[in-house]
Amino acid sequence: MKARPITIFSFLAPNLIGFMIFTLIPIGAALLLSFYAWDLFSPPRFVGADNYLFIIGFRLRENVEPLRGGLLIVMGVLFLVTVWSRKVSGLNHTVRWLLAMAGMACVAAGALQWYEPVNPRFWYYVYNTLFLMIGLPFSMIGSLVLASLLNQKYFGQNFFRLAFFLPSIVSSVGIYLLWKWIFQPDYGLINAALAQIGVFGPRWLESTTWVKPALVMMDFWGRVGGMNMLLYLAALQNINPELYEAADIDGANAWHRFWKITWPMVSPTTFFILVMGIIQGFQSGFDAAYVMTRGGPAGASTTLSYFIYENAFNFFYMGRAAAASWILFAIVLGCTWLNWKLSANRIHY
């Protein structure tokens, strides 16, 4: 029986209308607002690209280092030309991309000898956001190891699976309050444990030096278990046991079984977790900073998402916050595309 178009549309309409009202229209409004200055109390004023230029713009330095900047730019350009020349066309695809990134870094470092950012705090918050993502690869390794252990058959297997999945269903605010107590300098759990071995613990959340490592530690704890562990566990259970039996017959040891069978078979899951982890890393940081540090001390725990919140709801720079949102979108899109280009050839489907 052939379905009528109006019948098909009637089934799609609820989700389609919801998507347009709550997603598509706000995205378009944010893009339009990013070209205006608006404080919620006075009429919006068109400012063109000023919001973008204030956030990511650069201006000529007063004390220019022309020689050092020129040498770095020339070195970076030569590096890029060499990478894509025919002489090195036999290099691995990933290596060529990494070398190209190094060349672009040299060009950027040279340009920074001549120009300085209009808003250096924004780039400091970009650095904070990237720093808080340091624990991502280690948490992925931890999730894979944990999933491998939970994939074994032993008494209490289901209890341990539930215990390690609990952090993902507990309220994030409750977790942040718990960790805020753990990081308390005077009566917190970590400093109390350090005191037992004669070490005077730092003031974790009150120090510009230690606040980011503290948040990385907390993020690592949250990522090792939970959804990442569950995804790896599902991937491990989908591996055909006959592959391991054949490897045993051929005399493969544990490392060979992991590197030749387990790792390729879980590579799609690894790629998915990596891409989603990077996206979440750029978008996260607001709730932890809001509950635990309010972005401090001195902006040391302020991330891009918290920067957007501050501009919108603390300073009422709605246009600037909208521009920062689109800049964050561009960064996430660029990183996802780069991640895809670097990793796609290594995935075994």
Side-chain angles (χ1 to χ4, degrees), residues 282-293:
F282 276 110
Q283 294 178 336
S284 64
F286 164 74
D287 43 2
Y290 186 82
V291 174
M292 300 177 69
T293 63

Side-chain angles (χ1 to χ4, degrees), residues 17-287:
I17 294 173
F19 172 75
M20 292 182 65
I21 293 177
F22 298 108
T23 303
L24 195 59
I25 293 177
I27 289 175
L31 177 61
L32 183 64
L33 185 60
S34 67
F35 297 102
Y36 285 82
W38 187 37
D39 61 0
L40 293 176
F41 304 105
S42 55
R45 179 170 53 86
F46 183 75
V47 295
D50 284 359
N51 288 327
Y52 290 94
L53 294 176
F54 176 79
I55 296 173
I56 59 173
F58 286 82
R59 62 191 172 199
L60 190 63
R61 288 181 180 274
E62 294 183 359
N63 299 320
V64 180
E65 293 283 351
L67 181 60
R68 184 186 303 175
L71 287 176
L72 283 170
I73 291 177
V74 170
M75 186 171 68
V77 171
L78 290 176
F79 207 53
L80 290 171
V81 171
T82 304
V83 167
W84 266 283
S85 68
R86 294 182 178 180
K87 293 182 180 178
V88 292
S89 58
L91 279 177
N92 181 277
H93 181 73
T94 302
V95 174
R96 292 181 65 187
W97 269 101
L98 292 175
L99 292 175
M101 290 171 62
M104 288 187 284
C106 287
V107 173
L112 285 176
Q113 299 297 320
W114 291 343
Y115 294 91
E116 61 182 357
V118 175
N119 185 6
R121 300 299 296 179
F122 172 78
W123 297 103
Y124 180 52
Y125 301 151
V126 172
Y127 163 73
N128 288 345
T129 306
L130 295 175
F131 191 101
L132 297 182
M133 294 164 62
I134 287 177
L136 177 61
F138 301 102
S139 67
M140 291 174 64
I141 296 172
S143 296
L144 181 57
V145 172
L146 185 60
S148 300
L149 294 175
L150 295 176
N151 196 36
Q152 309 301 318
K153 294 183 179 178
Y154 49 84
F155 178 75
Q157 179 191 54
N158 291 332
F159 169 78
F160 288 108
R161 288 179 179 179
L162 175 64
F164 284 107
F165 186 70
L166 273 179
S168 63
I169 59 175
V170 176
S171 168
S172 59
V173 174
I175 291 176
Y176 297 142
L177 291 175
L178 173 65
W179 277 95
K180 192 174 181 179
W181 168 74
I182 291 174
F183 287 128
Q184 276 289 334
D186 300 324
Y187 52 85
L189 185 63
I190 294 180
N191 280 5
L194 291 175
Q196 296 298 317
I197 56 175
V199 177
F200 185 74
R203 305 187 73 83
W204 295 93
L205 302 181
E206 302 169 12
S207 166
T208 55
T209 304
W210 287 101
V211 65
K212 281 192 281 289
L215 295 178
V216 169
M217 193 187 311
M218 182 185 69
D219 184 67
F220 175 82
W221 173 86
R223 287 182 184 272
V224 166
M227 191 56 68
N228 291 349
M229 179 269 297
L230 194 65
L231 290 171
Y232 270 128
L233 185 59
L236 290 173
Q237 291 181 345
N238 281 330
I239 299 176
N240 190 344
E242 293 179 356
L243 295 175
Y244 292 113
E245 293 172 4
D248 289 337
I249 293 173
D250 291 339
N253 56 30
W255 170 250
H256 290 148
R257 285 156 52 94
F258 170 78
W259 189 246
K260 297 295 183 181
I261 300 175
T262 304
W263 181 248
M265 298 302 288
V266 301
S267 59
T269 304
T270 302
F271 182 62
F272 174 77
I273 293 175
L274 178 64
V275 171
M276 296 305 297
I278 291 175
I279 293 174
Q280 291 170 358
F282 276 110
Q283 294 178 336
S284 64
F286 164 74
D287 43 2

Side-chain angles (χ1 to χ4, degrees), residues 272-347:
F272 174 77
I273 293 175
L274 178 64
V275 171
M276 296 305 297
I278 291 175
I279 293 174
Q280 291 170 358
F282 276 110
Q283 294 178 336
S284 64
F286 164 74
D287 43 2
Y290 186 82
V291 174
M292 300 177 69
T293 63
R294 297 282 177 174
S301 63
T302 298
T303 60
L304 291 176
S305 57
Y306 195 80
F307 170 74
I308 294 171
Y309 165 80
E310 272 195 325
N311 276 275
F313 302 108
N314 284 352
F315 309 130
F316 299 109
Y317 296 145
M318 305 303 291
R320 192 175 297 170
S325 301
W326 275 94
I327 292 170
L328 176 59
F329 168 75
I331 293 174
V332 171
L333 184 65
C335 288
T336 304
W337 175 81
L338 187 63
N339 197 16
W340 183 269
K341 296 295 290 185
L342 291 174
S343 307
N345 293 335
R346 297 182 178 276
I347 309 302

